[in-house]
Amino acid sequence: MMKIGIVCYPTYGGSGVVATELGMALANKGHEVHFITYNQPVRLDFLNKNIYFHEVFVEEYPLFIYQPYELALSSKMVEVVIQYDIQILHVHYAIPHAYAAYMAKQILKDKGINIKVVTTLHGTDITLVGSHPDYKTAVEFSINSSDAVTAVSKSLKNDTLRLFDIKKEIDVIYNFIDFEKYQDEQFDKSNRANLANENERIIIHTSNFRPVKRVHDVIEIFNKILQKIPAKLLMIGDGPLRENVEKLVKSYNIQDKVFFLGKTDDVNRLLCHADLFLLPSETESFGLAALEAMAAKTPVISSNAGGLSEVNIHGTTGYLSDVGNINDMVNNAIKILSDEKTLNQFKMNAYNHSLQFCQDNILPQYECVYRKLIHGCC
Ligand code: GMT
């Protein structure tokens, strides 16, 4: 049994989801897991045994324009490590977690404690934000100062090596799925009729509606598919572009075909009805949303950005197109949706491919990283 502190963003984003699912899975295996973050992580189940939650408070003070979150986080890490004899601090998303962990490590060193820090890179912390000149020096330093570094795809590892001067080995450990949440039997298939007519295909997009997700492309693609195939589009999630995209839907007069469902924890309950998943992102280090769709037997039409080709296999589990190539995505979608036999084949392929990302395959890889740091071997 190991004692592990997990630091993450407690929000709907992929990195928070991965960190939370990882923590819960480790706890189920008997490890003691301490979440250290500013809010209760969205998918955290407190009824799970071996789970602890430590909230980071940031005291407001009129002098501060920016509240010193990293400082409060480092202090909380030190406090939790000492109180619970934590052996590993696993921080998800480099900014500012890896930097705060470095500070905590130095403070603990001063007290005679050698805490091991694992940093997992998730994507935008490297590709969009981390490499910006305002952050690069500190991000590079904190990655190099971690005891172990993991990245969620080969593509992200390569991006990290290209954008930073990295002196550490980076282990690729893919995102994973808890297949218990995707067992067909637990879903009531009869309520499909509440989402679409029998002759309509159900298409889903899930994201945080940020520019990187190219949500406008989702609507453009769907509008073109609609001209050939009766369908409904479920837009799951929320974010800055939602209002804008709702306007685009109105401008095409397809409000009766597109439903904005907002944020929900029940994505798997909706995905079990889906025929197609759209993810035309500008960049995507891995694409957990696509993997979740595949686990629910849903083929994926995606861009070929970042690590998406490591998840979605062109011509087998779905199709990949260049970013912004809407017509190609439409043609591929129609290829899949036009006849039942092809659709069912893609659905089974998607599911079968997703199985290799099951929790049982991925969890031991993280445990191995921890053990190497604590005991020197796996
Ligand atoms: O995609 C997002 O906007 C959320 C983001 C995050 O940091 O929480 O997701 C990133 O991490 C996920 C989990 O590792 C990956 O599956 C996503 O592909 C990655 N997003 C991007 O690279 C844009």
Side-chain angles (χ1 to χ4, degrees):
M1 190 271 281
M2 291 179 274
K3 293 187 174 200
I4 303 147
I6 291 188
V7 178
C8 64
Y9 282 104
T11 51
Y12 276 88
S15 64
V17 169
V18 170
T20 310
E21 302 273 355
L22 173 65
M24 290 196 297
L26 288 165
N28 280 337
K29 277 187 96 171
H31 302 295
E32 189 175 300
V33 179
H34 294 256
F35 283 90
I36 306 167
T37 180
Y38 60 82
N39 256 335
Q40 186 190 321
V42 173
R43 291 196 192 174
L44 187 62
D45 181 359
F46 273 117
L47 292 176
N48 231 303
K49 61 178 180 347
N50 303 327
I51 293 276
Y52 298 77
F53 168 55
H54 309 277
E55 193 165 342
V56 180
F57 294 103
V58 186
E59 212 45 58
E60 298 221 350
Y61 186 66
L63 184 70
F64 302 141
I65 306 176
Y66 308 107
Q67 305 307 317
Y69 177 64
E70 290 91 313
L71 217 64
L73 178 59
S74 297
S75 298
K76 189 53 113 182
M77 286 191 217
V78 170
E79 182 191 313
V80 174
V81 167
I82 294 175
Q83 192 177 346
Y84 294 92
D85 281 330
I86 302 289
Q87 295 160 292
I88 296 280
L89 273 177
H90 188 172
V91 301
H92 291 259
Y93 209 88
I95 308 167
H97 301 153
Y99 194 70
Y102 169 77
M103 281 311 298
K105 190 176 168 77
Q106 295 315 305
I107 298 167
L108 287 160
K109 198 170 170 187
D110 210 43
K111 297 177 187 296
I113 298 170
N114 179 15
I115 186 75
K116 301 292 183 188
V117 173
V118 179
T119 297
T120 290
L121 308 173
H122 281 274
T124 46
D125 47 351
I126 296 301
T127 51
L128 295 185
V129 200
S131 55
H132 188 279
D134 289 346
Y135 297 112
K136 190 175 170 186
T137 312
V139 172
E140 188 174 271
F141 173 80
S142 34
I143 293 173
N144 282 326
S145 305
S146 303
D147 295 292
V149 182
T150 76
V152 297
S153 66
K154 290 179 193 150
S155 154
L156 181 59
K157 174 177 176 172
N158 293 338
D159 283 342
T160 310
L161 296 176
R162 181 172 49 82
L163 294 165
F164 299 90
D165 181 13
I166 298 297
K167 300 187 168 63
K168 290 234 89 87
E169 187 52 45
I170 300 179
D171 289 325
V172 172
I173 305 183
Y174 286 128
N175 287 175
F176 62 91
I177 290 282
D178 176 2
F179 276 90
E180 276 193 15
K181 295 188 180 140
Y182 290 83
Q183 297 307 313
D184 265 359
E185 310 81 70
Q186 65 188 306
F187 301 118
D188 180 2
K189 289 281 175 84
S190 67
N191 54 23
R192 184 193 190 277
N194 299 333
L195 298 173
N197 300 330
E198 220 174 294
N199 68 328
E200 288 174 320
R201 300 295 191 198
I202 296 179
I203 301 178
I204 292 189
H205 168 78
T206 312
S207 78
N208 48 24
F209 288 60
R210 286 187 297 138
V212 68
K213 301 294 173 181
R214 296 185 69 102
V215 257
H216 289 81
D217 286 7
V218 174
I219 305 301
E220 300 287 353
I221 296 164
F222 177 71
N223 189 41
K224 290 190 176 206
I225 294 175
L226 255 191
Q227 302 174 7
K228 295 266 161 66
I229 290 174
K232 288 269 165 61
L233 173 64
L234 309 183
M235 298 288 281
I236 304 174
D238 207 346
L241 290 178
R242 175 165 167 181
E243 213 184 309
N244 216 281
V245 167
E246 290 201 41
K247 282 190 190 141
L248 183 63
V249 168
K250 278 196 191 125
S251 77
Y252 284 133
N253 201 17
I254 50 173
Q255 305 91 302
D256 57 335
K257 305 284 178 203
V258 184
F259 298 100
F260 289 85
L261 305 185
K263 288 179 183 167
T264 165
D265 275 347
D266 287 339
V267 182
N268 46 349
R269 278 185 61 220
L270 292 159
L271 281 171
C272 80
H273 298 294
D275 297 302
L276 197 70
F277 188 79
L278 299 178
L279 195 63
S281 308
E282 183 78 36
T283 169
E284 201 70 64
S285 67
F286 179 88
L288 180 61
L291 178 61
E292 290 184 335
M294 288 161 60
K297 302 192 176 79
T298 308
V300 174
I301 293 293
S302 70
S303 69
N304 53 15
L308 279 168
S309 62
E310 294 170 59
V311 184
N312 184 20
I313 308 304
H314 188 70
T316 303
T317 63
Y319 287 99
L320 300 145
S321 306
D322 289 340
V323 174
N325 193 341
I326 287 167
N327 286 338
D328 195 48
M329 294 188 195
V330 172
N331 292 338
N332 289 334
I334 290 169
K335 259 189 247 170
I336 296 178
L337 294 175
S338 302
D339 79 277
E340 215 63 32
K341 195 166 162 239
T342 312
L343 176 60
N344 287 335
Q345 186 60 58
F346 271 87
K347 283 188 171 195
M348 281 326 292
N349 293 348
Y351 177 71
N352 288 336
H353 184 66
S354 72
L355 289 173
Q356 68 182 269
F357 300 96
C358 69
Q359 195 172 282
D360 289 351
N361 283 352
I362 306 297
L363 200 63
Q365 298 178 36
Y366 280 115
E367 288 177 293
C368 177
V369 171
Y370 302 158
R371 282 201 199 96
K372 272 195 203 153
L373 293 180
I374 299 173
H375 307 297
C377 64
C378 208

